[in-house]
């Protein structure tokens, strides 16, 4: 028997998410404005948004992630800030507008970089000077957009010129989603300055792009649906969008993608009869897939999705028909918290993170990579240094007693010592790191069957039985949890997997001689040792390292962390989303890979 092999953990990728200084702490020397214009133009020649955003930092010798050095000269800072904003379309109160959003924003109003309205006037002057020197369309579009959003006497000129530059940038974009985003920005700028010709031109170019993408052998669903949704929501939408919607509704076998197209088509319906027909199509997409399903879990899940849409349609007869179909599986053997923060990432950067999390040539390898991609809380020593620095910067706050409230509003933890306060702050930071990675793990886990096909229950169980930490009953439960997750039942998957994590930890503990001794001598017969006892034993015995011990504690049991095991099993968690479930499955699979040898 040979051990499960772990893919190389890219420490640099983990560090990128939390790094806040350059390696030497020394800012690069100041550059003249012509040189900086060259940096901006060179970045814009990448023809893709993500490399464009990172190229400026690389050219100035700075790390891609984290805050800029305090001593960085203002012109260099102005260039890098210009590249750090994300173009974001906001739909609020029936109105759309485009804005340049900072890469990171917090609830207290702080952001990095500052909002465009709050940047120093010296930065704005650098942007104006750069605009006279740069030539690349993407660079000119960004600078015009910044100066338009900043306002001033030339705001109309910057809006019109920005739209024109976005047209030129979209024409040479290598990634379809980037082109959609550029044309979306052009549309909003044209509407904001009241330029009807520019507005119509942007919508026609969006339609041309959609038609070209639909003509590909495998049309990319994301850009096509995003473009269709945007056009349909705009006054003056081209008439040919109806034909594009019809083509898109038959372009993919996946019912979820087809449903997204039909949801857009609803907004084009002119009469109640038209809307009823589209709602019936949306339901039929899922019932047809249920009929073709070979898995009982898949059939039940698709019928549940169909019933959800029938409920939303307001068509009582359609709901009755769909509910009757779902009731036909009621006797079948089915084998069977929200994170809030804003951190914007480019689609391409996100895709690279997904590849890092599930790399492999088949679903088996992808699951191993998924299990081994952590620890999600990164290096404990580095995290401790961060908290020490935080306490040094705000010494008074570290002297106040710590009291945490549980989900019932009652005190769940009180700490008065310096060690207690440090542990709470450290665990809260580790929980934040978990939430950052959770937004990657959810889509990554869903991508495994999209890339490699959905394995059967038998295939999953057979594969998981080879994992050293999974006993047969638990391996079958983990397999059912994965299938539930992949077929849309995140909540069912979460509540299936949580008690199994504890079961895996107990099995691993009993597999160590010292662990067996401690359990027999430290606990009353008939009582089960909690995770707070099991996990430290696993670390002491070398089954897991300290970083994973802290990850599992912050995720499952620490009152200052996410504490999911306790909150879920005591009924304090409402809707369990896919990101939460993905992290729980990652934790179970990681523990399942520990302990011994596997074929």
């Amino acid at each position: 028997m040979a051990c499960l092999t772990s893919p190389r953990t890219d420490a640099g990728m983990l560090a990128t998410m939390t790094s806040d200084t350059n390696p030497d702490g020394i800012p690069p020397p100041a550059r003249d404005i012509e040189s900086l214009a060259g940096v901006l133009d060179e970045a814009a020649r990448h023809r893709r948004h993500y490399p464009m955003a990172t190229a400026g930092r690389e050219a100035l010798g700075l790390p891609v992630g984290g805050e800029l050095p305090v001593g960085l000269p203002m012109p260099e800072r102005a260039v890098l800030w210009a590249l750090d904003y994300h173009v974001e379309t906001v739909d609020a109160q029936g109105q759309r507008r485009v804005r340049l959003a900072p890469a990171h924003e917090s609830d207290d109003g702080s952001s990095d970089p500052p909002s465009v309205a709050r940047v120093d006037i010296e930065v704005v002057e650098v942007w104006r000077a750069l605009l006279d020197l740069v030539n690349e369309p993407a660079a000119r579009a960004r600078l015009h957009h910044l100066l338009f959003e900043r306002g001033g006497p030339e705001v109309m000129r910057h809006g019109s010129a920005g739209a024109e530059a976005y047209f030129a940038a979209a024409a040479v974009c290598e990634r379809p989603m980037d082109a959609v985003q550029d044309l979306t920005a052009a549309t909003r700028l044209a509407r904001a300055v009241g330029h009807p010709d520019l507005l119509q031109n942007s919508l026609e170019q969006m339609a041309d792009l959609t038609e070209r993408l639909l003509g590909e052998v495998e049309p990319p669903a994301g850009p096509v649906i995003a473009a269709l949704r945007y056009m349909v929501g705009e006054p003056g939408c081209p008439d040919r969008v109806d034909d594009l919607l019809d083509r898109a509704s038959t372009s993919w076998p996946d019912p979820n993608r087809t449903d997204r197209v039909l949801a857009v088509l609803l907004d084009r319906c002119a009469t109640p009869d038209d809307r009823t027909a589209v709602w019936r199509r949306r339901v039929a997409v899922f019932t047809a897939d249920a009929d073709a399903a070979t898995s009982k879990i898949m059939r039940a899940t698709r019928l549940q999705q169909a019933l959800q849409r029938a409920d939303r349609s307001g068509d009582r007869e359609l709901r009755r028909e769909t509910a009757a179909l779902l009731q036909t599986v009621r006797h079948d053997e089915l084998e069977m918290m929200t994170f809030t923060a804003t951190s914007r990432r480019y689609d391409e950067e996100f895709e690279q993170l997904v590849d890092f999390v599930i790399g492999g040539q088949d679903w088996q390898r992808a699951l191993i990579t998924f299990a081994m991609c952590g620890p999600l809380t990164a290096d404990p020593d580095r995290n401790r240094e961060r908290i020490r620095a935080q306490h040094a910067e705000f010494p008074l706050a570290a002297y106040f007693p710590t009291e945490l409230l549980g989900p019932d509003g009652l005190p769940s933890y009180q700490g008065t010592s310096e060690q207690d306060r440090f542990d709470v702050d450290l665990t809260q930071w580790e929980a934040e790191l978990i939430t950052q990675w959770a937004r990657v793990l959810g889509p990554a886990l869903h991508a495994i069957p999209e890339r490699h096909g959905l394995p059967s229950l038998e295939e999953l169980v057979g594969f998981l039985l080879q994992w050293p930490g999974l006993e047969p009953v638990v391996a079958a439960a983990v397999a059912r949890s994965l299938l539930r997750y992949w077929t849309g039942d995140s909540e069912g998957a979460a509540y299936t997997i949580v008690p199994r994590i504890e079961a895996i930890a107990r099995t691993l503990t009993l597999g160590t001689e010292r662990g067996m001794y401690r359990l027999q001598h430290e606990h009353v017969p008939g009582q089960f040792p909690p995770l707070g006892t099991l996990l430290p034993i696993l670390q002491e015995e070398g089954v897991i390292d300290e970083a994973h011990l802290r990850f599992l504690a912050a995720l499952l049991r620490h009152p200052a962390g996410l504490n999911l095991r306790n909150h879920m099993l005591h009924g304090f968690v409402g809707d369990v989303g896919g990101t939460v479930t993905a992290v729980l499955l990652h934790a179970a699979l990681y523990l399942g890979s520990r302990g011994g040898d596997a074929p």
Side-chain angles (χ1 to χ4, degrees):
M1 304 199 48
C3 290
L4 281 170
T5 56
S6 168
R8 181 181 62 85
T9 299
D10 190 340
M13 183 172 293
L14 288 170
T16 293
M17 302 189 71
T18 57
S19 176
D20 53 11
T21 60
N22 77 16
D24 302 317
I26 302 173
R31 300 182 180 221
D32 57 43
I33 196 69
E34 290 82 5
S35 173
L36 291 174
V39 169
L40 197 53
D41 264 341
E42 186 62 31
R45 291 189 188 100
H46 281 282
R47 312 303 188 207
R48 292 180 293 167
H49 290 177
Y50 173 52
M52 175 180 169
T54 60
R57 291 189 179 226
E58 293 171 352
L60 296 179
L62 297 172
V64 171
E67 298 176 0
L68 299 178
V70 174
L72 189 69
M74 183 60 71
E76 281 87 335
R77 188 176 297 272
V79 169
L80 298 181
W81 277 355
L83 293 169
D84 276 347
Y85 291 100
H86 289 240
V87 178
E88 184 176 88
T89 303
V90 180
D91 291 299
Q93 299 177 342
Q95 294 184 337
R96 281 179 171 176
R97 71 181 185 90
V98 68
R99 75 172 185 127
L100 290 170
H104 304 284
E105 293 181 298
S106 300
D107 292 340
D108 61 5
S110 62
S111 65
D112 181 28
S115 67
V116 177
R118 295 182 180 179
V119 297
D120 294 338
I121 189 62
E122 291 88 348
V123 173
V124 178
E125 292 303 325
V126 172
W127 290 342
R128 290 196 178 104
L130 288 169
L131 187 56
D132 292 333
L133 297 171
V134 297
N135 297 303
E136 288 294 323
R140 296 188 62 79
R142 175 55 58 92
L143 292 170
H144 277 301
H145 198 163
L146 286 164
L147 295 171
F148 167 81
E149 193 158 312
R150 178 67 180 209
E154 293 190 290
V155 64
M156 302 298 285
R157 179 179 75 85
H158 287 305
S160 299
E164 294 278 11
Y166 273 124
F167 292 155
V172 295
C173 272
E174 294 179 354
R175 295 186 72 252
M177 188 61 83
D178 290 348
V180 170
Q181 189 179 72
D182 283 349
L183 291 173
T184 297
T187 302
R188 300 317 306 161
L189 289 177
R191 186 173 295 284
V193 299
H195 199 311
D197 292 339
L198 281 177
L199 175 62
Q200 199 58 40
N201 186 16
S202 67
L203 291 173
E204 290 295 338
Q205 287 196 40
M206 187 84 83
D208 289 343
L209 173 63
T210 307
E211 188 166 6
R212 184 170 70 252
L213 295 176
L214 284 172
E216 295 182 4
V217 176
E218 295 184 6
V224 168
I225 297 172
L228 289 170
R229 182 183 294 115
Y230 194 82
M231 286 187 290
V232 167
E234 285 292 311
C237 174
D239 291 338
R240 58 180 167 141
V241 79
D242 294 315
D243 176 62
L244 296 175
L245 282 165
D246 284 340
R247 290 174 59 186
S249 68
T250 60
S251 292
W252 304 285
D254 176 33
N256 290 295
R257 291 178 177 178
T258 303
D259 181 67
R260 289 169 60 194
V261 176
L262 295 175
V264 177
L265 184 59
L266 271 177
D267 292 332
R268 292 289 287 174
C269 293
T271 68
D273 288 344
D274 290 340
R275 292 182 62 81
T276 297
V278 174
W279 275 114
R280 286 188 167 271
R281 285 183 66 186
R282 294 185 69 180
V283 170
V285 165
F286 290 101
T287 57
D289 202 70
D291 290 341
T294 57
S295 162
K296 294 175 182 178
I297 291 179
M298 178 68 82
R299 173 173 167 77
T301 300
R302 292 301 188 224
L303 290 176
Q304 288 172 356
Q305 291 175 297
L307 184 58
Q308 290 170 358
R309 282 142 186 85
D311 277 337
R312 287 155 50 193
S313 73
D315 186 331
R316 292 185 178 180
E317 180 61 22
L318 180 59
R319 188 191 186 286
R320 186 192 64 78
E321 295 169 0
T322 311
L325 289 174
L326 183 58
Q327 289 172 354
T328 63
V329 298
R330 69 186 185 279
H331 298 303
D332 284 353
E333 176 57 53
L334 293 180
E335 308 150 359
M336 319 231 322
M337 194 180 292
T338 304
F339 296 142
T340 58
T342 301
S343 183
R344 296 171 181 84
R345 291 188 177 275
Y346 289 88
D347 291 340
E348 189 171 0
E349 180 184 13
F350 190 81
E351 290 164 6
Q352 290 176 2
L353 290 171
V354 168
D355 289 340
F356 165 71
V357 170
I358 59 164
Q361 71 274 18
D362 51 36
W363 63 264
Q364 293 95 332
R365 192 66 196 154
L367 273 181
I368 295 174
T369 308
F370 179 79
M372 307 299 292
C373 68
L376 305 188
T377 48
D379 179 55
D381 289 334
R382 187 170 174 222
N383 292 336
R384 291 188 186 98
E385 286 300 317
R386 180 187 180 92
I387 302 305
R388 290 191 188 100
Q390 177 182 308
H391 286 187
E393 186 174 358
F394 304 102
L396 185 60
Y399 285 99
F400 288 100
T402 297
E403 181 174 88
L404 302 177
L405 299 181
D408 54 359
L410 299 176
S412 63
Y413 178 84
Q414 290 183 327
T416 56
S417 71
E418 182 178 350
Q419 183 178 355
D420 290 339
R421 290 189 292 270
F422 188 90
D423 183 56
V424 166
D425 289 344
L426 178 61
T427 305
Q428 288 178 335
W429 170 241
E430 289 167 336
E432 172 61 25
L433 292 176
I434 293 172
T435 65
Q436 290 181 24
W437 275 106
R439 291 187 288 270
V440 179
L441 261 64
L445 186 54
H446 271 302
I448 291 177
E450 292 174 3
R451 294 183 179 186
H452 306 296
L454 184 70
S456 67
L457 179 64
E458 292 76 15
E459 290 173 325
L460 272 172
V461 173
F463 174 59
L464 293 174
L465 284 174
Q466 303 173 55
W467 292 45
L470 299 180
E471 294 184 332
V473 172
V474 176
V478 174
R480 292 195 299 272
S481 295
L482 285 166
L483 282 179
R484 285 191 171 107
Y485 184 83
W486 285 330
T487 55
D489 185 12
S490 294
E491 187 168 48
Y495 281 97
T496 300
I497 203 62
V498 164
R500 270 64 184 203
I501 294 175
E502 195 160 333
I504 300 169
R506 186 177 301 108
T507 297
L508 291 173
T509 303
L510 293 174
T512 66
E513 292 183 6
R514 186 178 170 202
M516 174 68 78
Y517 176 84
R518 285 184 57 177
L519 293 186
Q520 288 178 338
H521 286 76
E522 295 181 11
H523 294 278
V524 177
Q527 294 185 0
F528 297 107
L531 273 173
T533 297
L534 299 174
L535 295 179
I537 295 175
L538 294 180
Q539 196 242 329
E540 292 168 11
E541 293 297 306
V543 179
I544 63 176
D545 56 25
E546 184 197 8
H548 280 95
L549 170 67
R550 296 205 60 86
F551 157 65
L552 293 166
L555 176 70
L556 298 167
R557 54 158 296 273
H558 199 295
L562 301 174
N563 204 9
L564 288 178
R565 183 267 182 199
N566 295 318
H567 287 175
M568 290 178 63
L569 297 187
H570 288 87
F572 288 120
V573 176
D575 182 27
V576 181
T579 56
V580 174
T581 307
V583 179
L584 291 169
L585 285 164
H586 162 72
L589 290 169
Y590 166 74
L591 282 174
S593 70
R594 304 291 90 195
D597 295 333

